[in-house]
Structure formats: structure tokens, C-alpha cells
Amino acid sequence: MNEVDNFKYCINTCNLIDLEFKGSIYTGWNGRTDDACIFKRLNRCLSNLEFQQMLSGLEITHLSKTSSDHCPLLITCDTNAAPIKKSFRFLKFWLKHETFQEVVKENWTVDFSGNPFHVFNHKLKKLKRALSVWSKSTYGSIFQKRRNSGSKKLG
């Protein structure tokens, strides 16, 4: 457990996050088909925010396993991709909109189970994307409007 705690400390200290991916959520299988069958997500790509912004076209794909009991990960980078957008900001006035709670309820579900931290992290990422799209379609480009009007306060 000491090694696990040291690894967690390193991840937290370096502000590393588990990158989003395409493909199966499981990257490891113990090869059994009976009640002892175990599927796990063992392989991961971690990065800090600066690295993600430097390589904005970063894409991780979990490929199908071949001769190993682990799925290979394909990491591609499009250097011509547009830079990553700024950080997500929750805006208090969203709470007053009649469809806000519906958007949250619809996007707080996940299609897998596992480590509660990873499930929670996945839920937050899913909700963040949904709220960003919802806000843009409901209110338009809020921060652009704010820059154009010179207003300093939102919400």
C-alpha cells in the first residue's frame, strides 16, 4: 500500500489527470470466462494541463487486444488542431434556468461501474461538456459578449 500511496501522491503533486479516450473502458482481462472472469482498466495516459494545451490535438484510443492480456493504447497528436478552450466555469445564474436541472440529471449517469473516484471524475467530465454545450445554445457566447460589452460580472 505504501507504493500505491506514493504513486497517488506523485499524481496529485504533479496535477496529473487521466486523459479521455475512445474505445472500450477495459484494457485488461484475466483470460477467464467463468465466475473468476475479471475486466479492468489497467492502462492509462496521464498528463498535466500544460501538456494538454501544448498538444491540443491529443487523442487516446484503446485498441483491441491481440496477443497480450492488455489492450494497446494508440496515442495520436494533431499539431494543426485548434488550441484547447479555456477552463470550464460554472455560472451561478444557470441555476435559475428552467432546463438546468434536467441537463444535470440527464448527464450525471454513467454506463459503467468501478472505482468511485473514476466514476465521479467521468461524471464531472460528462456534465462539464453537456453544460458547456447547453450554455452556448441557451445563452450564446457569454464570455465573448462580456468582452464586447466591457462588463466584469456574470451571474
Side-chain angles (χ1 to χ4, degrees), residues 61-127:
T61 306
H62 293 178
L63 302 175
S64 298
K65 75 179 200 67
T66 53
S67 59
S68 172
D69 58 351
H70 288 257
C71 297
L73 304 184
L74 174 65
I75 304 169
T76 56
C77 178
D78 179 5
T79 55
N80 296 323
I84 291 178
K85 295 177 183 176
K86 293 188 178 182
S87 299
F88 174 79
R89 290 188 185 178
F90 181 86
L91 302 174
K92 188 176 175 182
F93 70 85
W94 288 348
L95 296 169
K96 297 176 185 173
H97 195 278
E98 60 190 25
T99 62
F100 173 79
Q101 286 188 358
E102 181 182 322
V103 172
V104 173
K105 285 178 186 176
E106 286 176 11
N107 290 283
W108 194 248
T109 59
V110 292
D111 53 357
F112 70 96
S113 61
N115 178 316
F117 175 77
H118 295 296
V119 172
F120 181 70
N121 189 37
H122 180 75
K123 286 181 175 189
L124 285 177
K125 286 180 182 180
K126 182 178 177 185
L127 182 58

Side-chain angles (χ1 to χ4, degrees), residues 21 23-29 39-44 61-63 65 68-73:
F21 59 90
S24 173
I25 61 171
Y26 303 112
T27 62
W29 174 47
F39 288 97
K40 293 279 187 183
R41 181 164 175 237
L42 300 173
N43 307 59
R44 298 169 188 276
T61 306
H62 293 178
L63 302 175
K65 75 179 200 67
S68 172
D69 58 351
H70 288 257
C71 297
L73 304 184

